[in-house]
Amino acid sequence: MAMKVDVSLCLLVIPIVLSLLLSSHHFAKADNEIGKPLITATCIQTEFPDVCVSTLESDRRSSSANLTGLSRIGLELAITKADEIKADAYKLIFNATSYHNWDIRSACFGAYNLSFYPFKETLQYFDELNYNESYRIVDTFNKGLHYCIDVGVTELAAGITFLTKFTTDVKAILHLLF
């Protein structure tokens, strides 16, 4: 009876060990990928792969980045786009044609600005290898992006829609790091 248990145990352990060896080889290969193959392999795991690929490929640093580098580049690109939208929201305040229009644009800018500054801190947490906190901040920022559209500042809709999609993708990429 003891012999039967040992053989059964061996038959159980061998597939597990083989599975671990094969999967670690797969992960090692993925860690060594860079450039377009890595961008494609990474972005296919996001909700908006076309946005992800086109945005990351627009930055020449992506062609030589590993997954960690690609994540940081994604954060930097999202922060740059968020800063552009913040500047646009600020300009809209001064182009208001009525008090009501000025009021909703001011509210939009105020709310956006409040969430933007913590969003910029994601790089600090990222550099400290605290990917969970970076993810949490990006998620919080992403959830608040539609406030300006909700209050009626439609001039920012295209930029905010793009940023919502890209930050959703950045969250997915960050999640691959932990």
Side-chain angles (χ1 to χ4, degrees), residues 40-170:
T40 303
T42 302
C43 289
I44 199 127
Q45 299 176 62
T46 66
E47 191 172 338
F48 306 100
D50 293 343
V51 170
C52 179
V53 168
S54 65
T55 305
L56 290 175
E57 285 183 347
S58 73
D59 190 303
R60 62 181 177 78
R61 298 174 298 162
S62 297
S63 65
S64 60
N66 61 13
L67 182 60
T68 305
L70 210 55
S71 301
R72 191 173 205 298
I73 291 166
L75 282 171
E76 290 172 2
L77 292 171
I79 290 168
T80 298
K81 182 63 177 176
D83 197 30
E84 291 170 6
I85 293 171
K86 183 182 76 132
D88 290 343
Y90 185 72
K91 290 175 192 172
L92 287 173
I93 295 170
F94 297 102
N95 295 327
T97 56
S98 68
Y99 177 76
H100 174 72
N101 199 279
W102 175 87
D103 185 41
I104 62 171
R105 289 175 178 190
S106 295
C108 161
F109 177 76
Y112 189 89
N113 203 32
L114 276 174
S115 65
F116 175 72
Y117 284 100
F119 182 55
K120 286 175 52 173
E121 292 178 4
T122 57
L123 291 175
Q124 175 188 340
Y125 290 107
F126 185 88
D127 291 341
E128 294 169 357
L129 307 179
N130 191 346
Y131 305 130
N132 288 329
E133 186 61 13
S134 290
Y135 178 94
R136 187 195 65 74
I137 292 170
V138 173
D139 185 50
T140 301
F141 179 73
N142 183 282
K143 288 177 181 172
L145 276 173
H146 283 277
Y147 176 78
C148 289
I149 297 170
D150 293 344
V151 296
V153 184
T154 57
E155 296 88 348
L156 300 174
I160 287 173
T161 299
F162 166 80
L163 190 57
T164 300
K165 289 178 179 180
F166 189 60
T167 53
T168 298
D169 291 345
V170 169

Side-chain angles (χ1 to χ4, degrees), residues 7-21:
V7 171
S8 297
L9 185 59
C10 285
L11 291 175
L12 180 64
V13 170
I14 290 172
I16 292 172
V17 170
L18 285 174
S19 173
L20 289 173
L21 287 173

